[in-house]
């Protein structure tokens, strides 16, 4: 069993209106030291061992369903763990 | 200037219907090795140095605006970086 942590972020060149709204809210709450917020997704997957390569599976899953490769980048970390 | 990475996840005891939907979609696409998905948020903040302690600022910001402490946990990493 693998525990996979996937981080999906908007590409640098893509505007992030949600992050901008959060920045403005924080400034309105007097946290003026916060100058920029960018919002992404964080996902934890549990994947069972199979005959396919784990990295191949993760890359397919990320590019097909979890991230939109046109506007988003993703990276991931794999931890091997004992099934419970 | 600090670059802060914030990870917000649902507490273990809270059901995650969005993650369940993603698990089902992946299984329907024949990724049967994926047994569980939990979805959280990932945020990158840029925070300028001020006279307040950076950890105090981050904890306030997270518990007031970025995470809902009733159902979510958060953790963060701070990187110090040179302003551009």
């Amino acid at each position: 069993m693998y525990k996979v942590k996937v981080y999906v972020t908007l590409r640098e060149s893509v505007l992030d209106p949600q992050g901008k709204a959060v920045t403005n809210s924080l400034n309105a709450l007097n946290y003026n030291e916060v100058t920029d917020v960018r919002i992404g997704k964080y996902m934890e997957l549990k994947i069972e061992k199979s005959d396919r390569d784990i990295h191949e599976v993760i890359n397919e899953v990320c590019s097909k369903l979890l991230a939109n490769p046109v506007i988003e980048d993703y990276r991931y970390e794999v931890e091997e763990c004992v099934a419970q």
Side-chain angles (χ1 to χ4, degrees), chain A:
Chain A
M1 177 95 110
Y2 299 100
K3 187 173 167 185
V4 182
K5 297 177 177 179
V6 178
Y7 308 89
V8 178
T9 45
L10 278 177
R11 286 173 181 245
E12 276 302 319
S13 53
V14 178
L15 287 176
D16 182 2
Q18 194 187 357
K20 187 73 194 149
V22 172
T23 312
N24 292 345
S25 302
L26 286 170
N27 294 348
L29 288 170
N30 270 328
Y31 296 103
N32 297 309
E33 52 270 72
V34 180
T35 54
D36 189 44
V37 180
R38 285 184 78 83
I39 300 199
K41 285 176 283 184
Y42 168 69
M43 284 161 280
E44 286 178 0
L45 281 74
K46 283 185 186 146
I47 303 185
E48 275 172 13
K49 283 186 193 184
S50 66
D51 42 356
R52 300 186 59 198
D53 178 54
I54 179 75
H55 298 284
E56 192 186 304
V57 172
I58 299 170
N59 280 311
E60 280 187 27
V61 156
C62 286
S63 55
K64 279 194 193 167
L65 202 77
L66 302 184
N68 174 356
V70 178
I71 54 165
E72 291 171 331
D73 287 321
Y74 65 86
R75 62 192 167 85
Y76 62 85
E77 290 162 13
V78 181
E79 276 170 34
E80 207 166 336
C81 59
V82 238
Q84 282 160 351

